[in-house]
């Protein structure tokens, strides 16, 4: 049979499900990938050789334009970060880590603040507007916001991510009724969501693909994607116009004399909340790097 090109929709138990132009094949990967320490990811564009009408072997993984370690997915265009304003509470450092991971990997971050019927999102909107992060507010019955999110999806590979219990799966079910993804309740004792999505899977929507991902409650920047102290400054959009302007080339923007980032904060060009997240991420990476020495 002639080799076919396709995209990996999901991987479960060593099997990969590859969508070609006309069908979906259940595939195993060649052993050479393990030898080269290359594991197929959801989102990979691959070349497969069919061995039957429904089964095939993954022969080649095309070069990725980007990839995320957690969730394990490649060739992502947009990262839609869903966070509730309450129940569970909005965590700016957590959200800013996800935004930095997206920007570092040349993925467009889009913030969706859910459950805005519970609290006023004005202060959060101010923070992320100043950071030039596209932000949409939504609630369970807000059809206009659901339509606004749906309009972002055509011809894109979009990953939905965020804390457990913020409403990722519920939002996707509203956007496309065919999905019927499992949703979970909030633990009133722990004030966080229960995991309902257990693996990464791409779903065809609007001539593109979306992925619902397993929720989580903590992010280790080194485990998710390697960002060094030297690279971190580039992962915040609003820092970029001022980079290279500091008095010292080695400036880490943590209080050095002649730092243009600090000056921009003082002049109201960078929101203090975002800078606080930068310091938190910087210290986390610094501590990990020193521990590894």
């Amino acid at each position: 049979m002639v080799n076919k090109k396709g995209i990996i929709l999901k991987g479960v138990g060593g099997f990969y499900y590859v969508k070609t132009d006309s069908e979906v094949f259940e595939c195993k990967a060649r052993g050479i990938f393990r030898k080269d320490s290359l594991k197929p990811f959801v989102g990979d564009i691959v070349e497969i050789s069919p061995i039957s009408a429904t089964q095939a072997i993954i022969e080649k993984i095309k070069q990725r334009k980007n990839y995320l370690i957690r969730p394990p997915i490649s060739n992502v265009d947009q990262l839609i970060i869903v966070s509730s304003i309450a129940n569970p509470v909005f965590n700016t450092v957590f959200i800013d880590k996800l935004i930095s991971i997206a920007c570092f990997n040349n993925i467009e971050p889009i913030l969706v603040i859910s459950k805005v019927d519970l609290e006023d999102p004005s202060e959060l909107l101010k923070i992320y507007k100043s950071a030039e992060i596209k932000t949409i507010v939504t609630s369970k019955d807000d059809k206009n916001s659901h339509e606004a999110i749906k309009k972002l999806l055509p011809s894109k590979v979009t990953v939905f991510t965020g804390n457990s219990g913020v409403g990722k799966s519920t939002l996707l079910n509203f956007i496309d009724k065919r999905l019927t993804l499992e949703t979970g309740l909030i633990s009133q004792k722990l004030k966080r969501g229960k995991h309902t999505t257990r693996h990464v899977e791409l779903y065809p929507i609007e001539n593109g693909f979306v992925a619902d991902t397993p929720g989580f409650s903590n992010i280790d920047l080194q485990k998710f994607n390697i960002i060094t102290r030297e690279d971190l400054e580039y992962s915040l959009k609003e820092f970029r116009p001022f980079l290279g302007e500091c008095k010292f080339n080695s400036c880490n923007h943590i209080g050095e004399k002649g730092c243009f980032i600090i000056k921009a904060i003082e002049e109201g060009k960078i929101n203090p909340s975002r800078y606080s997240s930068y310091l938190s991420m910087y210290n986390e990476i610094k501590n990990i790097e020193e521990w590894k020495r």
Side-chain angles (χ1 to χ4, degrees):
M1 292 185 183
V2 178
N3 284 4
K4 295 176 179 284
K5 180 182 175 183
I7 183 172
I8 298 180
L9 298 181
K10 68 176 178 179
V12 180
F15 289 94
Y16 300 93
Y17 297 83
V18 176
K19 183 184 185 303
T20 65
D21 289 337
S22 56
E23 59 235 312
V24 175
F25 286 87
E26 181 185 72
C27 302
K28 295 286 283 185
R30 288 283 183 201
I32 191 170
F33 296 126
R34 287 192 299 273
K35 181 181 176 183
D36 294 340
S37 299
L38 178 61
K39 182 178 180 180
F41 275 12
V42 169
D44 277 341
I45 305 300
V46 296
E47 186 177 299
I48 63 172
S49 57
I51 55 177
S52 74
T54 58
Q55 295 179 314
I57 302 294
I58 297 176
E59 300 285 355
K60 184 177 182 180
I61 298 173
K62 303 290 187 180
Q63 184 173 354
R64 297 163 174 163
K65 68 179 180 181
N66 57 45
Y67 68 93
L68 299 174
I69 295 173
R70 183 179 179 193
I73 190 167
S74 68
N75 300 314
V76 179
D77 296 306
Q78 305 176 129
L79 187 68
I80 293 186
I81 302 161
V82 185
S83 181
S84 56
I85 197 167
N87 195 28
V89 67
F90 192 98
N91 183 323
T92 53
V93 175
F94 178 90
I95 295 305
D96 289 340
K97 283 184 179 182
L98 287 170
I99 291 172
S100 287
I101 288 168
C103 290
F104 182 68
N105 288 282
N106 295 315
I107 297 168
E108 180 67 23
I110 299 167
L111 177 60
V112 173
I113 304 175
S114 65
K115 305 183 185 180
V116 294
D117 51 313
L118 301 179
E119 283 187 27
D120 181 4
S122 298
E123 286 303 311
L124 292 176
L125 289 172
K126 189 186 300 181
I127 292 171
Y128 292 101
K129 182 179 179 180
S130 68
E132 299 182 358
I133 303 299
K134 187 180 294 182
T135 305
I136 297 172
V137 296
T138 186
S139 59
K140 186 176 180 181
D141 299 317
D142 184 357
K143 294 181 180 179
N144 289 334
S145 63
H146 300 158
E147 284 300 318
I149 295 166
K150 192 172 183 177
K151 287 178 181 177
L152 299 172
L153 305 180
S155 304
K156 304 281 188 181
V157 174
T158 305
V159 174
F160 282 69
T161 191
N163 279 102
S164 305
V166 296
K168 299 188 304 298
S169 298
T170 300
L171 181 58
L172 279 166
N173 286 339
F174 275 112
I175 289 171
D176 194 317
K177 304 294 185 184
R178 297 169 300 171
L179 292 178
T180 61
L181 301 176
E182 183 184 357
T183 59
L185 301 174
I186 298 295
S187 165
Q188 294 304 313
K189 182 177 180 181
L190 299 176
K191 297 299 179 185
R192 62 173 182 255
K194 301 174 182 179
H195 301 284
T196 54
T197 304
R198 295 174 178 83
H199 63 268
V200 182
E201 181 171 354
L202 287 180
Y203 300 93
I205 290 181
E206 299 294 309
N207 294 316
F209 295 94
V210 300
D212 185 24
T213 63
F216 40 80
S217 57
N218 187 38
I219 298 175
D220 182 327
L221 285 171
Q222 292 267 311
K223 288 182 179 178
F224 274 66
N225 275 83
I226 304 302
I227 301 179
T228 65
R229 277 182 289 176
E230 292 76 20
D231 289 331
L232 182 63
E233 62 185 6
Y234 299 103
S235 73
L236 283 87
K237 279 186 175 182
E238 64 270 46
F239 278 27
R240 294 174 184 173
F242 309 103
L243 298 179
E245 300 295 328
C246 297
K247 183 176 181 180
F248 303 105
N249 291 334
S250 60
C251 186
N252 292 310
H253 322 302
I254 54 174
E256 296 93 332
K257 186 177 180 180
C259 175
F260 264 62
I261 297 297
I262 300 297
K263 183 181 178 184
I265 295 166
E266 293 171 347
E267 294 176 350
K269 296 175 181 176
I270 294 176
N271 192 286
S273 173
R274 290 277 289 167
Y275 179 65
S276 178
S277 291
Y278 169 80
L279 290 178
S280 177
M281 289 186 280
Y282 178 89
N283 288 323
E284 177 184 326
I285 294 169
K286 175 176 173 286
N287 291 337
I288 292 171
E289 288 177 351
E290 289 178 349
W291 178 79
K292 286 182 175 180
R293 288 177 185 170

